[in-house]
Amino acid sequence: MSSSAENRNHFSARHAGNAWSSHEGAAALAAPALTEKRRVFDWRILLGLFLPIVVALLWEAAVRLGLAQGRLVPPPSRILATLWGLARTGELWTHTWMTLWRVLVGFVIGAAAGIVLGALSGSSKTIRQLLDPTLQALRAIPSIAWVPLFILWLGIFEASKVALIAVGVFFPVYLGIAGAILSVDRKLVEVGHVFRLSRVQLARRILLPAVLPEAVIALRSGLGLGFMFVVAAEFMGASEGLGYLLVDGQQMGKPDQILAAIIAFALLGKIADSLLVAATRPLVRWQDTVRERL
């Protein structure tokens, strides 16, 4: 009896030791992988900054060595000095906040409308045949063509500017959502029917996960167009915003201010896109794909 107990104890100890060693081995393998992942991430940040820094240094050197005048395209030192002067007086933050506020409100309105109409158009053939031809025709209208109409309807204040941005955001989101729903694999829907899922369950368990990756890309495209349309919106008699800095620099003949505003647009758009990607990453974390996330 005692011999049997000793055997069981020996087996349990050996099994626990094997499990512990396996756990240690897995941790040892995971630790370098995490470290390598962090290093790759840091390297990507540096690699992304490499090209603009090299171009800026080359242009600065060309101007200082007399190879270029730098009158129409000022060197980076002058552009940075202009940015610093605008930031020190508080002008830069005022204009940046106003542009960001307009883009945010226009993005929310345009994205919400695009998601709703895109979902309806993608899920119903009748609604698609009713809405899609008209929306595709409206999508072909240049953004600047909406300006006089919105000014006539909404005036020259914030409503017309936000409406123009919402129009720019709406169409890529609408197309992305509708196209994502229409491209869902038929076999997935058939599996849902086999398991007798209701329409709500089918949408929640099958359609929504299948659509989310493309929906995130559609939202990013809409956000990018929102920043493009805000420039046209701020040409409409705005007294604040980065677009106003562009117009003021053009009218006053200050190319350094124009380029400073363009750089501010680029940085603001990149930060907004990164925040959108970070906010939506948990929604598509389940993806098991070979290509890395954008």
Side-chain angles (χ1 to χ4, degrees):
M1 189 72 180
S2 61
S3 176
S4 176
E6 289 178 358
N7 290 334
R8 282 198 302 269
N9 293 335
H10 178 70
F11 176 77
S12 299
R14 185 175 60 184
H15 182 71
N18 291 337
W20 178 255
S21 61
S22 300
H23 177 72
E24 285 183 336
L29 290 174
L34 291 174
T35 304
E36 184 178 356
K37 186 175 181 180
R38 292 193 190 98
R39 289 176 182 172
V40 170
F41 180 75
D42 294 338
W43 172 248
R44 285 176 182 171
I45 293 178
L46 295 177
L47 188 63
L49 295 173
F50 176 77
L51 183 59
I53 290 176
V54 168
V55 172
L57 290 176
L58 289 176
W59 184 247
E60 182 75 27
V63 173
R64 290 184 180 274
L65 293 175
L67 302 177
Q69 293 183 354
R71 184 173 60 87
L72 296 178
V73 184
S77 57
R78 280 179 54 193
I79 298 173
L80 291 176
T82 301
L83 279 172
W84 173 249
L86 291 171
R88 188 175 54 188
T89 60
E91 258 189 288
L92 180 62
W93 312 121
T94 301
H95 294 306
T96 300
W97 167 247
M98 184 55 65
T99 295
L100 185 60
W101 182 86
R102 288 167 180 155
V103 172
L104 179 61
V105 176
F107 175 76
V108 170
I109 296 174
I115 290 172
V116 172
L117 293 182
L120 292 175
S121 180
S123 58
S124 172
K125 185 176 181 181
T126 303
I127 297 178
R128 183 166 63 254
Q129 291 175 342
L130 177 65
L131 291 179
D132 196 65
T134 302
L135 293 178
Q136 294 299 337
L138 293 175
R139 186 172 67 92
I141 299 175
S143 61
I144 201 69
W146 294 102
V147 172
L149 189 61
F150 286 159
I151 291 178
L152 182 64
W153 286 351
L154 304 172
I156 62 173
F157 299 106
E158 295 304 314
S160 58
K161 298 175 178 58
V162 170
L164 183 62
I165 297 168
V167 167
V169 173
F170 168 79
F171 289 108
V173 175
Y174 165 78
L175 288 175
I177 297 296
I181 293 175
L182 292 173
S183 63
V184 173
D185 194 344
R186 187 188 300 272
K187 297 183 181 62
L188 295 177
V189 179
E190 291 175 354
V191 169
H193 290 156
V194 168
F195 283 94
R196 298 181 180 180
L197 298 179
S198 64
R199 293 181 64 89
V200 175
Q201 290 175 330
L202 185 68
R204 183 171 61 87
R205 296 186 180 183
I206 293 179
L207 294 181
L208 186 60
V211 166
L212 277 176
E214 298 298 328
V216 171
I217 296 176
L219 289 174
R220 293 180 66 186
S221 300
L223 181 62
L225 276 181
F227 275 98
M228 294 176 63
F229 271 62
V230 76
V231 178
E234 290 178 343
F235 285 173
M236 294 160 40
S239 59
E240 290 180 334
L242 295 177
Y244 167 75
L245 282 182
L246 290 173
V247 176
D248 182 67
Q250 182 245 335
Q251 292 176 346
M252 302 299 293
K254 297 189 284 189
D256 52 340
Q257 180 174 309
I258 296 175
L259 288 173
I262 291 175
I263 292 174
F265 262 121
L267 294 175
L268 188 62
K270 175 57 181 173
I271 292 172
D273 180 73
S274 299
L275 291 176
L276 180 61
V277 170
T280 55
R281 183 174 288 120
L283 300 178
V284 294
R285 192 179 296 276
W286 53 268
Q287 279 187 294
D288 186 15
T289 56
V290 175
R291 66 183 179 89
E292 298 169 351
R293 293 188 180 91
L294 295 176

